[in-house]
Amino acid sequence: MLLELPIQKIPIQEIKIKKKVRLFIKREDLIHPQISGNKYWKLFFNINNYLTENPEKPFIITFGGAFSNHISAVSAVGNLAGIPTLGIIRGEELKDKWRDNPTLLFAKRNGMNLKFVTREEYRHKEKLTEFLQKEFSGALIVPEGGTNEDAVKGVKMMLNNETKDFDYLCTAVGTGGTVAGISKYCEDNQKVIGFKAVDDDSLENRISELTSKKNFNLIDSSFGGYGKIKDENIRFINDFKEKYEIPLEPIYTGKMMQRIFELIDENYFPENSRILCFHTGGLQGIEGANLLLEKQNRSLII
Ligand SMILES: *Cc1c(COP(=O)(O)O)cnc(C)c1O
């Protein structure tokens, strides 16, 4: 077992708002300093099962964008376990610029080999995966964002006795594995809301295939598109941190919380609802986001 069940409990904190609902956040981001949030749980069975099979020469391959939390997490696993890793990165133009990107620099320092491919090649990941499987037989190939059946199983660990007590369970959605796991393993009377960081209509079907339940709703919280950061997002994240001393990042958790606050204002949730949001981590992305914001002469995330 490489990844262990953390012994310390992940705290659930109340976020005090003067409204007729109660809002809580589960700090999954605190689970591990380098393998943060939902990525820890999505990798949990993928990595542990692979290592239990005792591969002769373990090797992990995965995919991601330039600021990917998943790439960051997999590189950290490789470094901690002494397993070589290969990251297939979207964007050939990064080939000579990865040193300027904190996520890719971190991955490289963890010993991850980076291979940059064009957006077109990246879009046809199935072809790439097929090729890699032949080229590196015996390697563990983890899909983009880590989403597969083992990942969904791992997300079950985000739920426990304490999370049963809430009417709504909220999480940000990228590839959908996390919301699928919460939907699959939560209590029958709980409602699940996935806040889409990506404006992608195919998500609903993909999530339905991974959970077999119909207890989830998807709400758009992409604020103009995946990875786009608006000034209002930065203001929200900075205000939130000042008020509640909880850091959020601008791609997933910041946009989810902002949308939840909007929904609360619109009385979307019935009175006395108990709402639990999962802080899925990803704080490593703030540094890279700030570098981009700085170039655009905009205010930074504090
Ligand atoms: C990857 C990620 C998500 C999305 O998880 P999916 O299982 O891909 O939907 C949400 N929040 C953070 C911080 C992430 O890094």
Side-chain angles (χ1 to χ4, degrees):
M1 278 264 167
L2 166 66
L3 299 180
E4 303 196 7
L5 283 172
I7 297 163
Q8 100 274 25
K9 272 202 179 157
I10 302 299
I12 293 181
Q13 287 170 244
E14 178 154 11
I15 298 170
K16 295 273 185 210
I17 47 172
K18 293 191 191 87
K19 299 277 173 180
K20 291 168 183 156
V21 296
R22 289 183 72 187
L23 186 61
F24 299 80
I25 189 163
K26 185 159 184 275
R27 298 289 307 272
E28 227 67 51
D29 60 308
L30 299 175
I31 206 155
H32 190 283
Q34 296 183 328
I35 313 166
S36 127
N38 62 341
K39 299 302 183 282
Y40 189 97
W41 295 121
K42 292 174 74 173
L43 289 171
F44 188 82
F45 287 115
N46 275 297
I47 304 268
N48 282 336
N49 290 351
Y50 175 65
L51 293 181
T52 310
E53 288 162 14
N54 274 319
E56 230 170 87
K57 285 189 190 158
F59 185 39
I60 305 174
I61 306 174
T62 197
F63 303 85
F67 299 99
S68 165
N69 297 324
H70 172 69
I71 287 288
S72 171
V74 171
S75 77
V77 169
N79 185 38
L80 292 170
I83 301 173
T85 54
L86 168 64
I88 310 289
I89 309 298
R90 179 180 56 223
E92 213 179 17
E93 73 281 1
L94 293 161
K95 197 154 66 187
D96 309 311
K97 290 192 279 189
W98 58 266
R99 282 178 194 80
D100 304 331
N101 176 304
T103 303
L104 298 177
L105 191 60
F106 177 77
K108 200 76 174 180
R109 287 193 173 139
N110 279 331
M112 183 177 254
N113 208 342
L114 302 177
K115 168 130 180 67
F116 299 93
V117 300
T118 62
R119 276 146 223 275
E120 182 61 19
E121 287 173 298
Y122 192 88
R123 214 169 295 133
H124 300 105
K125 279 187 289 299
E126 305 76 37
K127 247 196 196 155
L128 258 174
T129 305
E130 228 172 86
F131 167 79
L132 291 165
Q133 235 146 21
K134 277 197 207 119
E135 190 77 8
F136 304 100
S137 66
L140 172 67
I141 302 183
V142 186
E144 181 185 40
T147 287
N148 56 16
E149 276 181 33
D150 275 347
V152 171
K153 239 184 273 170
V155 170
K156 185 180 182 188
M157 313 282 212
M158 288 167 52
L159 303 170
N160 57 28
N161 258 332
E162 282 178 277
T163 63
K164 288 181 181 168
D165 203 19
F166 295 91
D167 305 303
Y168 291 89
L169 301 174
C170 302
T171 187
V173 176
T175 58
T178 307
V179 70
I182 294 172
S183 151
K184 185 164 180 175
Y185 297 109
C186 73
E187 301 297 301
D188 285 342
N189 61 339
Q190 293 183 300
K191 294 186 191 72
V192 179
I193 308 179
F195 290 85
K196 287 197 292 180
V198 194
D199 185 13
D200 176 356
D201 291 335
S202 67
L203 270 169
E204 176 122 19
N205 280 337
R206 253 186 291 154
I207 295 165
S208 293
E209 280 169 24
L210 291 168
T211 166
S212 36
K213 296 209 225 153
K214 295 200 184 322
N215 57 353
F216 72 93
N217 250 323
L218 297 181
I219 292 180
D220 180 54
S221 67
S222 61
F223 289 86
Y226 179 72
K228 300 231 163 73
I229 307 169
K230 295 194 165 173
D231 289 340
E232 59 166 321
N233 301 136
I234 300 169
R235 268 197 305 275
F236 179 87
I237 288 169
N238 288 345
D239 284 351
F240 192 89
K241 184 164 181 197
E242 209 159 276
K243 220 167 181 172
Y244 305 110
E245 295 180 346
I246 299 173
L248 302 170
E249 47 68 50
I251 312 298
Y252 296 102
T253 54
K255 288 180 173 181
M256 168 184 73
M257 283 318 290
Q258 188 169 354
R259 197 77 186 88
I260 289 176
F261 272 50
E262 287 173 0
L263 292 174
I264 291 173
D265 280 341
E266 294 161 14
N267 296 318
Y268 173 91
F269 301 99
E271 238 174 78
N272 300 321
S273 294
R274 288 168 55 85
I275 307 159
L276 179 64
C277 322
F278 290 92
H279 191 316
T280 42
L283 298 172
Q284 67 88 26
I286 293 175
E287 200 186 336
N290 273 341
L291 282 176
L292 288 181
L293 292 169
E294 205 174 357
K295 269 193 205 145
Q296 299 166 354
N297 268 325
R298 296 169 58 193
S299 17
L300 304 187
I301 299 161
I302 49 173

